[in-house]
Amino acid sequence: MRCASLVTVFVVVGLLGVGCKGDHGRGVRLVTTSQRVAGFVADAAGIGWLEAASREGKSAVVMHRSVDGRTIKVVNTKAAFGLAMDESYLYWISDQRVERAARGSSTVELVSESEGPSGSPVVDDRFVYWVSQGDFYRAPKGGGSAEEIPAPDPEMDLLLDVIVVDGVVVVGAERLEPKTSTAPASWRVALWAIAQSGEARPIATSPGRFIALVGGGGRLAWTTSDDDHLAGKTSSYVASMAAGAATALEAVTGVVLAVDADSVYWRGPRGAVSVTDARGTRRFSDGVDDLIIVGERCYAVFQLRGDSAEIRSMPR
């Protein structure tokens, strides 16, 4: 494994930061990285991020910053995909291995072997979950063999994403509905909640091809495209985890980034991020690449010119 040095500049402020008065709506800078942020997680106790190997000779690196401002490099690796975090560990996938390290530690543990190139892992209270080449897997968080979970609907073409919302595992998939005598062939997205027993409960469906899925505060929000190449008109929807039934978000004209019980944050076609809630839609900030809601604050990733990025704490 080839390792390269990493220069990361840390701004010494508390993780929760302060208000963004006079900072042009970009909050308080917590971290400036020297490589692109390819994975980001946050909770009330800290943040974690994955820096991609953006140039030849560089390594991917997993980092963690606790609420007291202590920041450590967890691991250097040739390549890593996605990042998940619970109250005790960070999880990622590297070289078809699901790995983890305790928060505040650089000791890496093997969780399981992945069957192939994989997306971002997610965790609930017992398992790590991930999607690999359209199939759905899980393994015990403490380590063990990967178990393939049957697709909720065998007719769905591909499982495309998995998230955990308020402790519930949710998968998103799409299928091409065949042409009929009265309608052309069309794509459709479906969402299911997956119990630890493997039983699937349908939540909601919508037309279009899958682009993004987020969840929080008992709700799901997702964005689809009406074009096979995902370059057409986008539409976004919201649904209650309990009641299901998709509701179109007419005010959202971009891709959803985060949702909770009251608000949906989304990035428009020109990169500006807005928030839609009961008061209407208003501008939140410019240049946000990723966003996580934690209580009364947001933690946002701003990709800078070149390979670097900033992570900032922002009031909602």
Side-chain angles (χ1 to χ4, degrees), residues 1 3 9 20 27 30 34 47 57 60 66 85 100 121 158 169 190 201-202 204 216 269 288 294 316:
M1 182 178 298
C3 296
V9 180
C20 62
L30 301 177
S34 65
I47 60 175
S66 60
M85 184 167 70
R100 73 175 188 175
L158 286 175
V169 177
R201 172 177 63 86
V288 176
V294 180
R316 296 185 58 184

Side-chain angles (χ1 to χ4, degrees), residues 114-138:
S114 174
E115 294 297 318
S118 305
S120 297
V122 299
V123 294
D124 64 9
D125 60 338
R126 292 180 57 196
F127 296 99
V128 185
Y129 301 83
W130 66 97
V131 172
S132 177
Q133 300 176 315
D135 295 321
F136 186 35
Y137 297 90
R138 73 179 182 186

Side-chain angles (χ1 to χ4, degrees), residues 76-295:
N76 273 0
T77 179
K78 289 189 297 183
F81 300 93
L83 194 63
M85 184 167 70
D86 61 17
E87 65 278 1
S88 301
Y89 289 88
L90 288 159
Y91 303 80
W92 62 92
I93 295 178
S94 176
D95 291 332
Q96 300 185 23
R97 291 162 52 94
V98 183
E99 298 175 336
R100 73 175 188 175
R103 295 170 66 158
S105 168
S106 57
T107 300
V108 176
E109 303 173 7
L110 173 66
V111 175
S112 189
E113 301 283 349
S114 174
E115 294 297 318
S118 305
S120 297
V122 299
V123 294
D124 64 9
D125 60 338
R126 292 180 57 196
F127 296 99
V128 185
Y129 301 83
W130 66 97
V131 172
S132 177
Q133 300 176 315
D135 295 321
F136 186 35
Y137 297 90
R138 73 179 182 186
K141 288 164 67 173
S145 299
E147 171 192 5
E148 183 175 356
I149 299 176
D153 180 351
E155 295 186 357
M156 300 305 289
D157 292 336
L158 286 175
L159 293 179
L160 295 172
D161 201 5
V162 55
I163 63 174
V164 172
V165 184
D166 305 326
V168 178
V169 177
V170 177
V171 296
E174 65 179 19
R175 71 167 296 194
L176 181 62
E177 300 282 353
K179 178 182 177 180
T180 68
S181 59
T182 58
S186 61
W187 287 94
R188 193 156 195 87
V189 168
L191 307 177
W192 289 273
I194 308 295
Q196 290 185 346
S197 65
E199 181 181 357
R201 172 177 63 86
I203 299 176
T205 66
S206 70
R209 299 212 64 181
F210 184 91
I211 293 181
L213 170 65
V214 295
R219 296 201 299 171
L220 297 171
W222 64 101
T223 300
T224 65
S225 169
D226 66 355
D227 185 86
D228 281 359
H229 301 288
L230 308 184
K233 177 185 176 183
T234 61
S235 300
S236 294
Y237 303 87
V238 67
S240 163
M241 285 283 292
T247 300
L249 295 168
E250 302 293 347
V252 176
T253 57
V255 177
V256 293
L257 292 176
V259 65
D260 66 3
D262 305 307
S263 309
V264 177
Y265 292 79
W266 52 278
R267 184 174 56 243
R270 296 185 179 179
V273 172
S274 300
V275 55
T276 297
D277 56 22
R279 294 177 290 172
T281 297
R282 59 194 183 278
R283 180 70 64 87
F284 178 70
S285 186
D286 293 331
V288 176
D289 187 72
D290 200 358
L291 183 76
I292 296 176
I293 302 169
V294 180

Side-chain angles (χ1 to χ4, degrees), residues 6 8 10 47-51 61-65 71-75 83 90:
L6 174 73
T8 305
F10 302 107
I47 60 175
W49 66 98
L50 167 65
E51 297 185 24
V61 61
V62 177
M63 305 289 295
H64 179 260
R65 177 188 174 100
T71 306
I72 72 159
K73 181 193 299 183
V74 178
V75 66
L83 194 63
L90 288 159

